[in-house]
């Protein structure tokens, strides 16, 4: 580059970085991936280093970003919140280099023993200082610029995991705990689903979030704590700020970082179990590799691991340079977001008929694999993000979640009018399902277009059969997904009733199907014919009709024909049936091909007992008082009962099992690794039972 070229590029980079820093820090809506921001930042740093005369006071390289926002009270940290040095070399050599630096600083030679390190995760969230006085949480503050942050106590108090009071009879007079506020990936996906639903219902001020860290940042800096409370925040502690009176003269302060984390855990603070004490560079490399291998399986995002010299006395000897301790480093992993080009948009028909726009991408290495397809969720999402073919987009792949396009990179230098057309799903498909050519439709208040072919669309056939055969539906023993693939792909069955016309000869002709398994399947099919009305209804796979609703409908109407003929108003009379469910049942049976399938199923000999129904009698009258009518939510792994078994027991006693915790939930049954549902229960003050307490409760009912 020539001299004027450098000057021009530096100015361009300053402008770009300023714009992106604003989007990131102020709007919580980044326009480019972090890795790209870092690249631009480093490019500017390099130019400024080579040409000091180009350095400007307002350059993003000259100040710490993340200043104080209007609306929150500034808090001066009693002890500054330091930064952590980042090792961007994602190879093992990054760990080796850190160990070598530490040994050099301590003037150690090869003859000396390896250094002991505490290795932990680098959570991808928001740094926070929690101040406890006499064991009581009195203040929570963001890091800000490290000297001054914002008081976000109200919002942090909504995090159920963070104790309001330390678990100790003799807490330190002052204990500042530092850690990271983050959002789990499953909570993030659920949050964005909710946001998409709100937007679909016409909510104006709602948006989806680009990634968990941004959602967390937005929640922490919410001016309305009621909104913050609805965001599923979590917390992990990793260090200390000011400490007074932890024993006489802080004599109870642990001597190592690992013991400190144990002590924080004993105070009731969340501390990650994914940590280790290791020896020397070799130990660090091993930890980096081990966590790298399970990164996808962790329930939250990490962008690296952190190594800390374990001995706190050694830490003090090492000290820090320009606000970064010499005794700690963050060792990164490959980024989970990257930029690439959008080559086209395909539309996939899901197994339930949902039509999903899928981005065809120029292959890009992200989150550890090469990605060339990513979901765009639905048409509204594509339009809102204004994603068009030919654009440069940001792709995110984290954990086992399918890759997603989270946004478009707008090239500020691109000419107007050179972009592709806005996306229109209906027009693209000419109104027809790309698999079966049935009309596509979208119900009011829904974001997803769907194929209306239902049981007749090949894309939905396998799923419909598997659902029908499922253990909680018709319970057809021996009919799993491999066999369904064979039956459908081999053209043996196209519709549900055809299952029951399969013969031994046809089955034996299938690959790997012996006489015995064929006979077993036929026996399974035969046995499934005697069922209950609830199971049969559930098996039909009507949208929005889960097991519980199917049972409620069966109990209420008693006879299939009454359900088939019921008006929406009559359906609304059923316990827990709202307009969406009523409409779904009605439109299912309005379709002639669905009625035909039901008739054919009856014709092949499927039977159940029909009753008068309990349209007038309250269901409570038949159950066992106490558990009857109570709503349970199951979360985590119970020691002996499977989820299905627990559900069956609860339902047998007259209780109901639902999927999410709300004010209407009576009990949450929690097992190992219970997640956000448990937090929610605690937050709402709902009774939490373990397995034995559940069994005792159910026992009481029977006794
Ligand atoms: O998980 C993290 N993001 C993390 C951040 C961690 N595990 N340890 C950290 N340790 C420090 C020092 C060494 C300065 C106590 C940190 C951070 N700092 C940190 N996070 C944001 C700024 C600094």
């Amino acid at each position: 580059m020539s001299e004027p070229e450098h000057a021009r590029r530096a100015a361009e980079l300053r402008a770009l970085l300023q714009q992106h820093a604003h989007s990131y820090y102020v709007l919580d809506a980044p326009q480019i991936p972090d890795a790209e921001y870092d690249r631009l930042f480093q490019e500017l740093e390099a130019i400024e280093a080579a040409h000091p005369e180009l350095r400007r006071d307002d350059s993003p390289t000259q100040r710490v970003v993340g200043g104080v926002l209007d609306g929150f009270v500034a808090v001066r940290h009693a002890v500054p919140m330091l930064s952590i040095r980042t090792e961007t070399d994602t190879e093992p050599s990054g760990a080796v280099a850190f160990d070598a630096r530490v040994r050099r600083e301590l003037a150690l030679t090869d003859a000396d023993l390896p250094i002991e390190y505490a290795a932990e995760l680098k959570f991808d969230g928001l740094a926070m200082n929690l101040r406890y006085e006499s064991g009581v949480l009195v203040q929570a503050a963001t890091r800000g610029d490290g000297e001054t942050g914002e008081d976000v106590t109200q919002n942090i108090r909504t995090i159920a995991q963070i104790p309001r009071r330390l678990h100790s009879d003799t807490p330190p007079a002052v204990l500042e705990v530092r850690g990271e506020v983050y959002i789990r990936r499953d909570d993030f996906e659920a949050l964005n689903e909710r946001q998409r639903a709100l937007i679909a219902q016409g909510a104006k001020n709602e948006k989806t979030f680009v990634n968990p860290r941004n959602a967390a940042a937005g929640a922490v800096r919410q001016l309305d704590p009621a909104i913050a409370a609805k965001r599923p925040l979590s917390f992990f502690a990793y260090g200390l700020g000011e400490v007074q009176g932890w024993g006489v003269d802080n004599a109870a302060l642990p001597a190592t970082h690992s013991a400190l984390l144990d002590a924080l855990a004993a105070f009731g603070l969340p501390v990650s179990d994914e940590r280790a004490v290791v020896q020397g560079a070799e130990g660090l490399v091993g930890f980096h590799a081990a966590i790298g291998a399970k990164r996808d399986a962790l329930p939250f995002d990490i962008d690296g691991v952190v190594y800390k010299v374990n001995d706190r006395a050694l830490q003090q000897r090492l000290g820090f340079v320009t606000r970064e301790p010499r005794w700690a480093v963050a060792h990164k992993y490959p980024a989970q977001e990257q930029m690439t080009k959008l080559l086209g948009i395909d539309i996939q028909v899901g197994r339930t008929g949902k039509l999903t726009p899928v981005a065809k991408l120029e292959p890009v290495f992200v989150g550890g694999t090469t990605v060339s397809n990513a979901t765009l969720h639905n048409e509204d999402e594509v339009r809102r993000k204004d994603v068009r073919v030919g654009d440069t987009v940001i792709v995110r792949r984290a954990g086992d979640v399918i890759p997603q396009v989270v946004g478009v990179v707008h090239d500020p230098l691109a000419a107007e009018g050179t972009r592709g057309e806005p996306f229109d799903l209906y027009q693209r498909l000419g109104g027809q399902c790309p698999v079966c050519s049935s009309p596509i439709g979208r119900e009011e208040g829904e974001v997803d277009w769907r194929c209306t072919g239902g049981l007749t669309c090949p894309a939905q056939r396998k799923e419909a059969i598997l659902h029908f055969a499922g253990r909680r539906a018709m319970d057809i023993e021996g009919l799993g997904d491999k066999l369904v693939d064979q039956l459908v792909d081999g053209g043996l069955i196209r519709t549900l009733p055809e299952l029951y016309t399969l013969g031994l000869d046809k089955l034996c002709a299938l690959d790997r199907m012996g006489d015995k398994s064929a006979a077993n399947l036929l026996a399974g099919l035969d046995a499934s014919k005697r069922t209950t009305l609830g199971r049969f209804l559930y098996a039909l796979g009507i949208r929005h009709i889960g097991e519980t609703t199917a049972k409620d409908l069966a109990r209420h109407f008693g006879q299939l024909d009454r359900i088939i003929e019921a008006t929406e108003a009559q359906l609304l009379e059923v316990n827990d049936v709202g307009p969406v469910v009523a409409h779904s049942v009605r439109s299912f049976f309005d379709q002639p091909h669905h009625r035909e399938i039901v008739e054919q199923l009856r014709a092949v000999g499927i039977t159940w007992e029909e009753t008068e129904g309990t349209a007038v009698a309250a269901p409570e009258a038949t159950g066992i008082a106490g558990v009857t009518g109570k709503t349970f939510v199951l979360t985590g792994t119970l020691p002996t009962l499977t989820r299905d078994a627990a559900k069956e027991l609860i339902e047998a006693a007259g209780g109901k099992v639902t999927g999410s915790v709300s004010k209407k939930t009576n009990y949450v049954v929690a097992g190992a690794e219970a997640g956000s549902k448990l937090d929610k229960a605690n937050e709402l003050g709902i009774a939490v039972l373990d397995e034995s307490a559940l069994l005792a409760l159910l026992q009481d009912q029977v006794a």
Side-chain angles (χ1 to χ4, degrees), residues 82-84 120-123 127 143 180 238 306 308 325 327-328:
L82 301 177
S83 315
I84 187 158
E120 61 197 38
L121 304 183
K122 181 159 190 289
F123 312 107
R143 177 168 178 277
E180 202 87 355
Y238 58 65
V306 174
K308 294 173 180 174
W327 47 268

Short mmCIF file of all heavy atoms in Angstrom, two decimals, residues 82-84 120-123 127 143 180 238 306 308 325 327-328, ligand 1:
data_model
loop_
_atom_site.label_atom_id
_atom_site.label_comp_id
_atom_site.label_asym_id
_atom_site.label_seq_id
_atom_site.Cartn_x
_atom_site.Cartn_y
_atom_site.Cartn_z
N LEU A 82 -10.12 -6.28 36.07
CA LEU A 82 -9.07 -6.36 35.06
C LEU A 82 -9.60 -7.05 33.80
O LEU A 82 -10.68 -7.61 33.79
CB LEU A 82 -7.88 -7.15 35.61
CG LEU A 82 -7.24 -6.56 36.87
CD1 LEU A 82 -6.11 -7.46 37.35
CD2 LEU A 82 -6.71 -5.16 36.58
N SER A 83 -8.81 -6.98 32.75
CA SER A 83 -9.12 -7.75 31.54
C SER A 83 -8.33 -9.03 31.59
O SER A 83 -7.46 -9.20 32.44
CB SER A 83 -8.69 -7.03 30.28
OG SER A 83 -9.05 -5.70 30.33
N ILE A 84 -8.62 -9.89 30.67
CA ILE A 84 -7.84 -11.12 30.60
C ILE A 84 -7.18 -11.16 29.23
O ILE A 84 -7.80 -10.85 28.22
CB ILE A 84 -8.73 -12.34 30.90
CG1 ILE A 84 -7.88 -13.58 30.99
CG2 ILE A 84 -9.84 -12.50 29.90
CD1 ILE A 84 -8.55 -14.68 31.78
N GLU A 120 -10.17 -23.58 33.52
CA GLU A 120 -11.64 -23.47 33.58
C GLU A 120 -12.17 -23.03 32.22
O GLU A 120 -11.40 -22.82 31.28
CB GLU A 120 -12.04 -22.47 34.68
CG GLU A 120 -11.51 -21.07 34.45
CD GLU A 120 -11.56 -20.19 35.72
OE1 GLU A 120 -11.30 -20.71 36.83
OE2 GLU A 120 -11.85 -18.99 35.58
N LEU A 121 -13.48 -22.90 32.13
CA LEU A 121 -14.08 -22.51 30.86
C LEU A 121 -14.10 -20.99 30.71
O LEU A 121 -14.14 -20.27 31.70
CB LEU A 121 -15.52 -23.03 30.79
CG LEU A 121 -15.71 -24.53 30.99
CD1 LEU A 121 -17.17 -24.91 30.82
CD2 LEU A 121 -14.84 -25.30 29.99
N LYS A 122 -14.09 -20.55 29.48
CA LYS A 122 -14.32 -19.13 29.24
C LYS A 122 -15.76 -18.98 28.75
O LYS A 122 -16.08 -19.24 27.59
CB LYS A 122 -13.34 -18.56 28.21
CG LYS A 122 -13.57 -17.08 27.98
CD LYS A 122 -12.37 -16.40 27.39
CE LYS A 122 -12.54 -14.89 27.41
NZ LYS A 122 -13.54 -14.41 26.43
N PHE A 123 -16.63 -18.60 29.68
CA PHE A 123 -18.04 -18.46 29.37
C PHE A 123 -18.22 -17.26 28.47
O PHE A 123 -17.57 -16.24 28.64
CB PHE A 123 -18.85 -18.29 30.65
CG PHE A 123 -18.49 -19.30 31.68
CD1 PHE A 123 -17.76 -18.94 32.79
CD2 PHE A 123 -18.83 -20.64 31.51
CE1 PHE A 123 -17.38 -19.89 33.73
CE2 PHE A 123 -18.45 -21.58 32.44
CZ PHE A 123 -17.72 -21.21 33.55
N ALA A 127 -19.37 -9.95 31.94
CA ALA A 127 -18.71 -9.96 33.25
C ALA A 127 -19.51 -9.14 34.26
O ALA A 127 -20.06 -8.09 33.93
CB ALA A 127 -17.31 -9.42 33.12
N ARG A 143 -19.18 -4.70 34.23
CA ARG A 143 -17.76 -4.38 34.25
C ARG A 143 -17.51 -2.96 33.74
O ARG A 143 -16.63 -2.26 34.24
CB ARG A 143 -17.01 -5.39 33.37
CG ARG A 143 -15.54 -5.11 33.27
CD ARG A 143 -14.80 -6.27 32.64
NE ARG A 143 -13.40 -5.94 32.53
CZ ARG A 143 -12.87 -5.24 31.55
NH1 ARG A 143 -13.66 -4.80 30.58
NH2 ARG A 143 -11.59 -4.95 31.53
N GLU A 180 -19.63 -14.50 35.28
CA GLU A 180 -20.18 -14.22 33.97
C GLU A 180 -21.68 -14.54 33.96
O GLU A 180 -22.08 -15.63 34.37
CB GLU A 180 -19.44 -15.12 32.96
CG GLU A 180 -19.46 -14.65 31.55
CD GLU A 180 -18.33 -13.67 31.20
OE1 GLU A 180 -17.56 -13.26 32.10
OE2 GLU A 180 -18.24 -13.30 30.02
N TYR A 238 -16.19 -16.88 38.82
CA TYR A 238 -14.83 -17.28 38.49
C TYR A 238 -13.75 -16.48 39.21
O TYR A 238 -12.57 -16.66 38.95
CB TYR A 238 -14.56 -17.27 36.99
CG TYR A 238 -14.80 -15.94 36.29
CD1 TYR A 238 -14.01 -14.82 36.58
CD2 TYR A 238 -15.79 -15.82 35.33
CE1 TYR A 238 -14.22 -13.62 35.94
CE2 TYR A 238 -16.01 -14.62 34.68
CZ TYR A 238 -15.22 -13.52 34.99
OH TYR A 238 -15.44 -12.34 34.35
N VAL A 306 -9.81 -20.89 30.10
CA VAL A 306 -8.98 -19.92 30.81
C VAL A 306 -8.00 -20.69 31.68
O VAL A 306 -8.39 -21.66 32.35
CB VAL A 306 -9.84 -18.98 31.69
CG1 VAL A 306 -8.96 -18.07 32.53
CG2 VAL A 306 -10.76 -18.14 30.81
N LYS A 308 -5.24 -20.29 34.82
CA LYS A 308 -4.80 -19.37 35.87
C LYS A 308 -3.75 -20.08 36.71
O LYS A 308 -3.94 -21.26 37.06
CB LYS A 308 -5.99 -18.96 36.75
CG LYS A 308 -7.01 -18.12 35.99
CD LYS A 308 -8.27 -17.82 36.78
CE LYS A 308 -9.20 -16.98 35.89
NZ LYS A 308 -10.51 -16.75 36.51
N PRO A 325 -3.64 -9.45 34.10
CA PRO A 325 -2.76 -10.23 34.96
C PRO A 325 -1.79 -11.07 34.12
O PRO A 325 -2.17 -11.57 33.07
CB PRO A 325 -3.71 -11.16 35.73
CG PRO A 325 -5.07 -10.67 35.49
CD PRO A 325 -5.06 -9.82 34.27
N TRP A 327 -0.70 -13.77 35.20
CA TRP A 327 -0.90 -15.15 35.64
C TRP A 327 -2.12 -15.83 35.03
O TRP A 327 -2.47 -16.95 35.40
CB TRP A 327 -0.99 -15.21 37.18
CG TRP A 327 -1.91 -14.16 37.77
CD1 TRP A 327 -1.56 -12.92 38.21
CD2 TRP A 327 -3.33 -14.27 37.97
NE1 TRP A 327 -2.66 -12.25 38.67
CE2 TRP A 327 -3.77 -13.06 38.54
CE3 TRP A 327 -4.27 -15.28 37.74
CZ2 TRP A 327 -5.10 -12.82 38.88
CZ3 TRP A 327 -5.60 -15.04 38.08
CH2 TRP A 327 -5.99 -13.82 38.63
N ALA A 328 -2.78 -15.15 34.09
CA ALA A 328 -3.98 -15.75 33.49
C ALA A 328 -4.00 -15.50 31.99
O ALA A 328 -3.47 -14.49 31.52
CB ALA A 328 -5.24 -15.15 34.14
O1 LIG B 1 -15.31 -17.21 31.82
C1 LIG B 1 -14.83 -16.10 31.66
N1 LIG B 1 -15.34 -15.32 30.70
C2 LIG B 1 -13.74 -15.59 32.52
C3 LIG B 1 -13.44 -14.23 32.48
C4 LIG B 1 -13.01 -16.43 33.39
N2 LIG B 1 -13.29 -17.75 33.47
N3 LIG B 1 -12.02 -15.92 34.14
C5 LIG B 1 -11.70 -14.60 34.12
N4 LIG B 1 -10.71 -14.14 34.89
C6 LIG B 1 -10.37 -12.88 34.87
C7 LIG B 1 -9.25 -12.43 35.73
C8 LIG B 1 -8.05 -13.30 35.50
C9 LIG B 1 -8.88 -11.01 35.42
C10 LIG B 1 -9.68 -12.53 37.15
C11 LIG B 1 -12.42 -13.70 33.27
C12 LIG B 1 -12.04 -12.34 33.32
N5 LIG B 1 -11.02 -11.97 34.13
C13 LIG B 1 -12.67 -11.27 32.57
N6 LIG B 1 -13.81 -11.32 31.91
C14 LIG B 1 -14.05 -10.15 31.35
C15 LIG B 1 -13.07 -9.30 31.66
C16 LIG B 1 -12.21 -10.00 32.44
#
